[in-house]
Structures are given as C-alpha cells and as structure tokens.
Amino acid sequence: MGLPHTVETSANVKRKRVSEDSPGRTHQSQLQQRRIKLLDSRKQLPIWQRQKDIRDALRDNDVLILSGETGSGKSTQVPQFFLDQPWCGFPGKIAVTQPRRVAAISLARRVAEEMGTPLGSSSPASKVGYSVRFDESTSPSTRIKFLTEGMLLQEMLRDASLSQYKCVIVDEVHERSVNIDLILGFLKQLQTRRKDLKVVVMSATADADSLQRFFAAQLLENTRHDSKSVPNDSQTDGEAEVDADDAPWHGFDDEDQQSSSNIATCHVEGRQYPVITRYLDSPTEDTIEASLHRIFQIHCKEPTPGDLLVFMTGQEAIQSLQKLVEEYALGLTTDYPKMLVLPLFAALPQAAQQLIFQPAPRNTRKVILTTNIAETSVTVPGVRFVVDTGKAKVKQFRNRIGLDSLLVKQISRSSADQRKGRAGREAAGQCYRLYTEEAYKSLDKDSTPEVLRCDLSQAVLTMKARGVGDVLRFPLLTPPPKEAMEKALLQLCELGALDEHGNISPIGRKIARLPLTPALGRVIIEAATPETDCLVEVIDIVACLSVEHIFLAIDTEEGREKASVARRQLLRRQGDHLTYLAAVQAYAAEQSDRRRWADDHMISHRAMQSVMDVRQQLTAQCRQAKLFTTQEAHPATDEATQERIVKCFLRGFSSNVARACPDGSYKTFAGNQTVAIHPSSVLFGRKVEAIIYNQFVYTNKAYARDVSVVQLRWLEEALDGMA
DNA sequence: GAGCACTGC
C-alpha cells in the first residue's frame, strides 16, 4: 500500500492549493479521474510486484542495476517508486535519461498522467517535466525530469555535481552510446564526492556483471598512470587478443580493490508473448532472395491479421526487395490475402514513414521492410512475424586515417534477440532467422559499443570541459585503445581547444558549449574573429552540416533533370558550403510559404526546419559568448567574403584537404589517400585544383562529402596562420 | 553516381 497511497496524498495536497487559486478545477478533476483509471493498468505491470524490493535496494545501496525486458514498465514506474523515499527528500529531484527525444517527451507525458499532475511548464504545480534540445518543459515543482543524455551532460557544464538531483536514472544502458558511457563515468566519479546521490542503471539485457564490476572498481583518478595497469578484457573474456597498438589503456580491476559503492542488482521479467524461432538448415549468400522466399511462405501459410517485419541492411536492399515482392505479389491468386509492402528507413520522408502506423485494411498483410530503425527507435504495431537477415550497416571510425567506414556486418546475439522480440509485442509470434542456428551461436554476444567505433575528440572535450584532468584515467565501461584517446587529444591540441599541457583553453571551453563536433565548433570560433568576420554566414552553413541532408534524394534520371532546374539558382560552383549558404538565405528570405518553396526546390522541408532551429540556437549561443563582432550579415555574399568563409573551414578541417591528380582522382595532403567526391556534392564530376571536405566516409570507396574548392594559396596562408 | 541509427543550454 505504501507508495501509491502516499503519492496520492501529496498530490491531493498540491491539488487543493492549486484549485483554490486557479480556475482549473474541472481540469484538475479530469486529471485525477485519469490517474485513478491508469492505476489499474499500472498494477498489472510486472514491475509493480517488485516495488518494495526496488525501494529497499536503493535505500540500502548507492547503485541499483535493474535489468528488465521491454514491457516490464520500468521506465515509467521506477522513478515514481522513489519520490516519497526519505533519501529523496523534498524537493529532491529525480533525473531519468533517455537516448531519444520522443521517448523523453512521451514518457514524461505518461508519468504526469499516471501521477495526476499537469505536464511540464503548463502549470507551476507540475511535478513531471522533460528537457530535450529546443524544447524544455519544467516547472518550479518538477520532481521527475526526463531528459536526453546530451541534455544531462549539458547541465553538468553549469553544475558539475548535479546538485539539484538526489537520483539519476540512466535508462536503455544496453544501447551503449558514447553519451551513456560518459554519464556512467561521471556518475561513478560523482558518487565519491556526493554520498547522497543515488544512481539507477536500467538495461534491457539481463547481463548485470560488467556494470556491477564497473561500479565496484575503485577509481584510478589521482593515481599516476603506469605501465602495469591491467587490460580489462583479460579477466572477463579469457585472453585478450589485441596487438600493442590496440591494447586498452587501462581497465577496472576488481582484484585487490574494495568497492567504492554499494551495489544492488534486480531483474524484472518483461511482459512478452512467446516467439517461436526458426533457422535455415544451411547458410545462404543471397539474403534478398532468401527474404523473398520466406516472406511468401509466411504470407501464404499464416492467417491475417498479422504483419510481417523484415530486418535488412539499408535503403538499397530494401528498395530492390520491395520491387521483387510487389512483382511476385501480382501473381498471387485471390485465395490469398493481399500484401501491402512498406519500406522504413530514416531517410524516408516523414509522411511515408507514418504509413506503417496505419492498420492494414481487411484481408491485407503489411510487409514492412526496415533497417535497424525498427530495432530501437520505431515500434511497429501489429507485427506477428519477423524475418531477420542477421546483418546491419555499422559505422566504424579508423582513427589512423580519420576515415569513417559504413559497412555491412553480422549483428550480435543481443541484437538478433531484440529483433526477434518485435514479433511478440501483442501476441505470440514467429521469428525466421535467415542463417543457421550454429551461425547464431557464433555471433558476438553484444554489439560493439560506440565508444570503440567513433572519433573520440568530442568525448574527450566533454570530459575536459567537466573537469577531468587525466582523461586516460576516466572510468569507461569499455576503455578504447590508448592510441585512439591520444589521437583525440592531439586533434584537440591542433584545434587550439587544449593547450600544450593538455589543459582546456578558453577556446576549448567555448567550443565545448556548442552542440557541435570540436572541428565544427572551431570553425565557428574562427568565423567570429574580427579579421574573418563571417559568423552569420558560417552559422548558416554549419547548421546545414549538422542536420540530415537538405537536398532530397532522387532515384530517377528524370528526377535528376528536374532537380537541377529547380535548384539552379541555389547551386554555387565554389562548392557545397556556399550552396548551403545560398539555400538557407533563400529559405529564410521566403516569407509566404516555406513548405512550398522547399517542394519547388526539391529540398527537404523537415531538414530545413531543423536547420532553422539549429541556426537560431547557435546564434543565441554565440551572442551569449559575445562572439559577434558585427551584427550584420553580408547578404550579397561577395568574393572576398566567400574566400574568408572557406578559410574558416580550413581552420577546423586542415587535414581534410586533397589535391587533384593527373588521373582525375584526388589525394589527401595528410596521408596521400585517394578520395572521390561524393555524388551528392555539387562538385561531383568536376576537377578543381584542391578540395576541402567535412566528411570522409568509406562505403563502396572512400568518398569526400560536403566539399568545396580551395586554392593552394589559401592553404599556405592557413598553415602560416596556425604556426 | 549514392544515403545504418541516434543525439546536443
């Protein structure tokens, strides 16, 4: 009886006070009716039975590791369990981090309903709020705040000890983004200073061991780094097979160390229907052919309703399979249900993505061909059957050459299980794996955490700006190779974000506040110097570079011709940067109907709206940091301004420069690597003296994306300027 | 001649 009753009482007290001096009485009683109605369904959640265990565990310990599959109700219920706890005090706040904006907002809305309190900033009495980029909704009475991981890290810049919170709940830890790993490291460090801070780590996978070891290991901060530090892999996974270059730089070692925190673990069953798994008898090379075969087998055998979700690698495979399925479906006799084939990937326009949420018409089966987006970010309703090709595209950063590669890889077992689970959300289901059971068993247990796959410069600057002196000693769940950390430190020095001693510089502090990579942040700083004076323009360009591609993708020859006419006035022969600037200036100048303007120019309206949001945010931040020397833009961007703009990018991306070779290819100055201009660039197919680019990505070959012309003379000047 | 998925006071 404890918690719900208490929460109810305190909500009543609050409600009385509000209703006496506000006209919202009917609204208040509606909120309470809704709350009481929801209480019944909350009591059905698997986690409801465990609330005493969970409360006791965190009362007696500093850290709670809570594992529970989807459907256990942990994200909504756990924060409510703690509100009335003595350690939580009043007005002690609870932060709950989420990987995605939509999740943060919808969970806040749901929990507010369950508590019978208005949401966020809608009332000063609201107890539940959220904070995501471009949208903060909290009140003076907020007790539970859902926020994205990035927002919690941003809050740490203002208040490194997170003093307003008594408890931080980190949700979806199994996703292992860099931000999650950083937050776990900061919280672990923080608990040595703040004995009153409780930490809850929630994960969908049952494996609590590595998290427990992480929190149990003593901090290595303030001890000198020496060559005897222990690689962490060796104690968990047998012999660590790493060469000297890739060896982890330190680990957390539970041998001969005492716990720095008291840790409790708890596992909660999910609410999931059973899913039958079937494998291939022998492996297949052609996953498109195998998918096609399996889709029709399921479709012809199984009754409707019951939609089918097919996990594939990417847009290209999805579109070719869609064509095949639609062709074959024409040959189905009327004895069988109809088929509705729907693609799903991030680059798909919003309206097309929405189609998956509409129920299939009678006697029709939806067949959704999806990327990994349906594994975590989008929940497709109505699915009873999953077909899993066992593959996904994965990004991997090669830090020696500064190259991102995007390659098809085998998924992990946990990822395969996640995909399978999508068939059992609403009823018993079936999962067809297009690989053998032996192949499944030989998959890696978990996916490689992002921190081992990405450029670490932003993560390192994040640490430095929050007071981490020796970043090589920062506690990370899976420490990356020392070489990767040192590369990041070196890059930050070259950008001027760190001084020669490795301490953060005033420029570094400014960069760290911006929602940008350090390199793009440095471009902003460069644009603000009095000699350069093109901050307004550079903000527009950087805004484009930090959102999805603004030009709509085009499939057909006819579409390409149409697009080149529609976009003619926007294209700039100097390259993509000035083309983006022209697009933003034209869009911003459009006063009447921006959506129509975007359609007319075959530009993504969704992307342009994000550009405008980022532009506004960056402008406000630059103003606050007093970076503006002049307020005025140079609307008729003259040649001298154009030169200064591109030179700003040289300051942030000095190693991303390549010169033309006689054979028509480009080779980088830094590593003599061959790069090709990406077909999405306005410079595609053109030959110029030298180019600068913002992204270097290997897919079928090494491509430069977001490319502009540079003159060799500018390069010499830029190098002089840096010396 | 091409685009896995997220996120940021």
Side-chain angles (χ1 to χ4, degrees), chain A residues 657-671:
Chain A
V657 183
R659 63 174 181 277
C661 297
D663 66 357
S665 69
Y666 290 88
K667 281 202 162 50
T668 60
F669 281 91

Side-chain angles (χ1 to χ4, degrees), chain A residues 641-660:
Chain A
T641 311
Q642 292 174 357
E643 180 176 332
R644 293 204 307 280
I645 290 170
V646 176
K647 280 180 174 171
C648 291
F649 283 89
L650 275 177
R651 183 62 188 86
F653 293 84
S654 56
S655 53
N656 286 11
V657 183
R659 63 174 181 277

Side-chain angles (χ1 to χ4, degrees), chain A residues 539-553:
Chain A
I539 284 175
D540 286 354
I541 299 167
V542 167
C544 288
L545 293 170
S546 64
V547 307
E548 58 180 306
H549 200 58
I550 63 168
F551 292 109
L552 285 170

Side-chain angles (χ1 to χ4, degrees), chain A residues 24 29 76 142 208 273 340 343 444 471 615 698:
Chain A
S29 74
T76 51
T142 299
Y273 296 92
L340 177 61
D444 290 341
V471 295
R615 179 189 199 238
Y698 185 92

Side-chain angles (χ1 to χ4, degrees), chain A residues 19 22-33:
Chain A
S19 57
S22 76
R25 191 170 312 189
T26 47
H27 181 55
Q28 281 296 327
S29 74
Q30 281 167 0
L31 286 177
Q32 295 316 307
Q33 280 167 16

